Amino acid sequence: MQKALDLAVKGQGMTSPNPMVGAVVVKDGRVVGTGCHEAVGRAHAEVNALEDAGKLARGAVLYVTLEPCNHTGRTPPCTRRILAAGIRRVVAAMKDPNPEVAGGGLEFLKQQGVEVTLGVCEDRARKLNEAFVKYVRTGRPFVIAKCAATLDGRIATRTGDSRWVTGPAARQFVHRLRHAVDAILVGINTVRTDDPSLTTRLVDGHGRDAVRIVLDTHLSISAEARILRQRSGAQTIVVTGSAPPADKKAAVERSGVRVIQAELKNDLIDLQALMEQLGDLELTSLLIEGGSRVLASAFAAAVVDKVLFFYAPKILGGDDGVPICSGPGPEQMSACVAVTDVSVQRFDDDVLIEGYIEKS
């Protein structure tokens, strides 16, 4: 199963809104076939593994990281291919989290005389597809809040300079993360200050760009902003209020950028409502990259699922830099946003703290 999970990761960034899945065919203690779901619309992992095994699949065991599908979607049901191949036993890491189909594939196989085992390496399988799990259950994207800060909690100096807080290794991790998610979100202040491209730039030159989303309540974005002139296969979306100036909206759209209108709350984009809209666009995962106002709003709106906070071994040494979150916070420590399942990782001298928002 660990091998199947390693294979599943190969589809990262390419399978959404489908899950990442890996499969391994074993006969007489020997691996005779392997496969993964390479990209949305292509054959599922089970089919690729069975084709790789060929005739050796008959009487073999199939290890798969997710319950085989028993319905027709973009591709035919995998359960039929499993039966046709003569697999005698299926070992699945986890059930399909979609409440409409959960358990159906495994139950069908059992009814057809195939031995079924469930729950092997389930924790790793569930984390691998945490975005898919949330999306199919709620219709909303899995939201990651990311920042890079000094040890005294500043993401930029008083002039807005933030290049670079962290080193090359940490920044490459972020580019791999951009490759993995469906969309990246920033606020208009970040666009004004940093003029980011929000593209994926991996050392090997590969990697896909995520959809770029800018929160711009009053549609004040400059026509010269780099994000409006980006050469990329991914779309750029500017989210604005309910009544943007028609001439400005038309000008932004002429650059090939999509403008969507969202509900406002306290004269800011209502992030809870926006998550529904992004889910309707089949965006299963969202990386919030800032700035401090957007991060604070995301935590206040309770839309964040996971945090990735990088800390560099630097101290700004003043109270006039840009904090991780800006605006009023709670009066009591008991009202803080709780983070659980915390892990720590080093990238050279930079430290990443990863954790999940504790849901009430």
Side-chain angles (χ1 to χ4, degrees):
M1 189 62 77
Q2 293 286 3
K3 183 175 180 64
L5 286 161
D6 291 341
L7 287 166
V9 177
K10 291 184 176 182
Q12 192 170 61
M14 306 303 295
T15 64
S16 181
N18 289 348
M20 293 173 277
V21 183
V24 174
V25 181
V26 176
K27 189 169 188 178
D28 299 328
R30 183 170 64 93
V31 173
V32 296
T34 62
C36 70
H37 183 37
E38 296 173 350
V40 62
R42 295 188 185 176
H44 286 187
E46 302 95 313
V47 173
N48 288 331
L50 291 171
E51 288 186 353
D52 188 38
K55 293 181 180 179
L56 292 175
R58 186 158 298 280
V61 179
L62 174 68
Y63 292 83
V64 61
T65 59
L66 185 69
E67 175 182 10
C69 64
N70 193 41
H71 61 280
T72 300
R74 289 181 172 92
T75 58
C78 289
T79 51
R80 308 287 176 172
R81 294 294 299 270
I82 291 169
L83 291 175
I87 290 291
R88 67 173 179 83
R89 181 185 176 208
V90 171
V91 181
M94 61 179 286
K95 282 186 179 181
D96 191 318
N98 189 333
E100 296 182 5
V101 299
L106 295 176
E107 185 58 34
F108 174 78
L109 290 170
K110 279 200 287 187
Q111 291 173 358
Q112 302 302 312
V114 177
E115 185 183 346
V116 168
T117 302
L118 177 66
V120 177
C121 299
E122 182 174 358
D123 288 346
R124 185 183 168 194
R126 194 168 293 279
K127 183 170 183 177
L128 176 71
N129 280 309
E130 57 193 6
F132 174 75
V133 170
K134 180 184 178 182
Y135 181 73
V136 295
R137 287 179 174 173
T138 68
R140 297 157 65 97
F142 182 85
V143 180
I144 305 167
K146 167 258 169 186
C147 75
T150 61
L151 291 180
D152 49 349
R154 304 291 163 166
I155 62 175
T157 67
R158 64 175 179 273
T159 66
D161 179 36
S162 60
R163 296 189 179 181
W164 296 102
V165 177
T166 53
R171 297 200 300 274
Q172 269 299 295
F173 176 87
V174 173
H175 282 287
R176 292 195 297 273
L177 185 61
R178 287 181 177 181
H179 166 77
V181 299
D182 289 348
I184 305 168
L185 183 146
V186 297
I188 187 61
N189 287 337
T190 295
V191 173
R192 290 194 193 110
T193 304
D194 296 345
D195 195 21
S197 60
L198 300 183
T199 53
T200 299
R201 299 181 297 279
L202 297 176
V203 172
D204 62 8
H206 298 292
R208 53 171 281 283
D209 291 339
V211 173
R212 296 168 292 275
I213 301 173
V214 179
L215 301 184
D216 186 6
T217 305
H218 304 293
L219 201 58
S220 60
I221 192 167
S222 167
E224 300 304 312
R226 185 182 302 173
I227 205 167
L228 299 185
R229 300 179 286 110
Q230 198 64 249
R231 291 186 178 180
S232 171
Q235 188 177 46
T236 297
I237 298 173
V238 176
V239 182
T240 187
S242 57
D247 57 339
K248 186 63 184 288
K249 181 174 182 286
V252 172
E253 290 176 332
R254 277 197 296 272
S255 65
V257 171
R258 181 175 181 179
V259 177
I260 65 173
Q261 296 169 217
E263 297 177 24
L264 298 183
K265 188 174 183 179
N266 300 324
D267 202 35
L268 296 173
I269 302 297
D270 184 335
L271 294 181
Q272 279 285 351
L274 178 61
M275 293 307 112
E276 295 288 345
Q277 290 177 270
L278 298 184
D280 290 341
L281 296 177
E282 288 195 331
L283 298 176
T284 67
S285 55
L286 176 69
L287 175 64
I288 299 179
E289 290 208 24
S292 60
R293 233 176 127 194
V294 170
L295 285 168
S297 296
F299 288 120
V303 299
V304 178
D305 298 292
K306 183 177 185 178
V307 294
L308 296 174
F309 278 24
F310 288 90
Y311 287 94
K314 301 174 182 178
I315 298 171
L316 200 57
D319 64 358
D320 56 354
V322 181
I324 294 172
C325 295
S326 64
E331 294 184 358
Q332 304 294 327
M333 289 297 289
S334 59
C336 285
V337 176
V339 180
T340 186
D341 194 17
V342 174
S343 61
V344 179
Q345 187 176 351
R346 280 188 62 170
F347 294 87
D348 294 333
D349 289 334
D350 299 318
V351 176
L352 168 63
I353 296 179
E354 175 183 331
Y356 294 82
I357 299 301
E358 192 172 77
K359 302 296 183 180
S360 57

